[in-house]
């Protein structure tokens, strides 16, 4: 069972995954502070 | 989001199984400027070409986040004229998350998707009638108001 979100950190990597997996992308702009 | 919603098991499983998660710092350039980000958290649903289809700003509880993500997926299909998967996603929200903020919009867009598929106005009228009966105060009920005049 997955227990952590497998975040990407690069847009192009995420878009490549989206193409190959036929999924949309969730882009989260976050403030770590 | 990191303290409450993202660690939630249902949220984690939903995101890992249904959408490609991409996380960047709020002042990441050029993304922050390109998407006109003014506050965090800002969550944007993109299609495979990077085009935006859905956005939320501010905290969402796990109970609200999952239907909002499904709405984003449905809206992505809707905007791409992929009405069958759009309706499937809107149905999931309507069936499983009836008390959530995303549900009236899903009900509205399901009616529009069905209309675009069939060109039958009864789908719009049915959407209005469901919205009026279940979410009478919703902005989406107001947007559907003209559909009440469509002949049965």
């Amino acid at each position: 069972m997955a227990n952590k979100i497998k975040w990407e950190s690069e847009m192009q990597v995420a878009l490549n995954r989206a193409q190959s997996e036929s999924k949309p992308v969730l882009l989260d702009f976050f403030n770590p502070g | 989001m990191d303290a409450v919603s993202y660690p939630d098991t249902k949220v984690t499983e939903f995101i890992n199984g249904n959408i490609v998660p991409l996380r960047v710092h709020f002042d990441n350039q050029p993304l922050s400027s390109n998407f006109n980000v003014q506050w965090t958290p800002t969550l944007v649903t993109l299609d495979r070409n990077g085009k935006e289809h859905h956005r939320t700003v501010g905290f969402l509880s796990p109970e609200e986040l999952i239907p909002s993500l499904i709405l984003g997926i449905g809206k992505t299909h809707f905007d791409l004229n992929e009405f069958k998967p759009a309706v499937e996603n809107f149905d999931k929200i309507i069936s499983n998350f009836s008390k959530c903020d995303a549900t009236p919009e899903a009900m509205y867009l399901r009616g529009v998707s069905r209309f675009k598929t069939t060109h039958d106005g009864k789908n719009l009228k049915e959407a209005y009638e469901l919205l009026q009966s279940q979410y009478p105060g919703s902005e989406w009920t107001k947007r559907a108001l003209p559909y009440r005049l469509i002949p049965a």
Side-chain angles (χ1 to χ4, degrees):
Chain A
M1 179 183 293
N3 56 13
K4 280 192 174 180
I5 296 173
K6 299 168 185 169
W7 295 105
E8 300 291 349
S9 57
E10 298 291 335
M11 174 66 87
Q12 195 54 56
V13 174
L15 293 178
N16 290 345
R17 270 190 62 193
Q19 290 279 357
S20 65
E21 298 175 22
S22 297
K23 294 175 182 174
V25 172
L26 170 64
L27 171 55
D28 176 6
F29 289 93
F30 79 114
N31 183 349
Chain B
M1 301 296 284
D2 285 318
V4 177
S5 297
Y6 288 147
D8 182 274
T9 301
K10 289 180 181 176
V11 170
T12 301
E13 290 182 352
F14 181 85
I15 289 177
N16 286 337
N18 294 280
I19 199 164
V20 177
L22 166 63
R23 196 167 215 207
V24 300
H25 197 271
F26 71 95
D27 62 0
N28 176 295
Q29 293 300 337
L31 292 176
S32 181
S33 294
N34 289 348
F35 286 94
N36 191 27
V37 172
Q38 303 292 341
W39 193 243
T40 61
T42 292
L43 305 181
V44 187
T45 306
L46 312 175
D47 64 27
R48 298 169 218 167
N49 296 312
K51 184 174 180 181
E52 176 175 346
H53 297 277
H54 179 61
R55 171 182 296 223
T56 61
V57 179
F59 171 77
L60 291 172
S61 69
E63 294 76 19
E64 293 288 348
L65 177 57
I66 292 176
S68 178
L69 295 173
I70 300 172
L71 181 62
I73 295 170
K75 288 170 71 174
T76 300
H77 287 298
F78 177 87
D79 289 346
L80 297 174
N81 293 328
E82 300 168 352
F83 297 116
K84 184 173 184 292
V87 167
E88 290 170 355
N89 280 282
F90 299 144
D91 275 338
K92 285 182 194 172
I93 299 169
I94 295 163
S95 298
N96 301 316
F97 303 95
S98 62
K99 303 296 184 187
C100 294
D101 291 344
T103 313
E105 185 174 358
M107 191 170 281
Y108 180 98
L109 290 175
R110 183 180 67 174
V112 176
S113 298
R114 286 174 170 168
F115 172 76
K116 282 179 167 279
T117 302
T118 63
H119 303 289
D120 187 340
K122 77 176 183 185
N123 293 294
L124 298 174
K125 184 164 188 166
E126 179 184 279
Y128 166 74
E129 290 171 347
L130 284 170
L131 284 162
Q132 178 61 32
S133 66
Q134 298 181 31
Y135 309 99
S138 167
E139 64 174 298
W140 294 98
T141 305
K142 296 173 187 171
R143 296 187 194 197
L145 191 62
Y147 306 152
R148 77 191 189 285
L149 302 174
I150 294 173

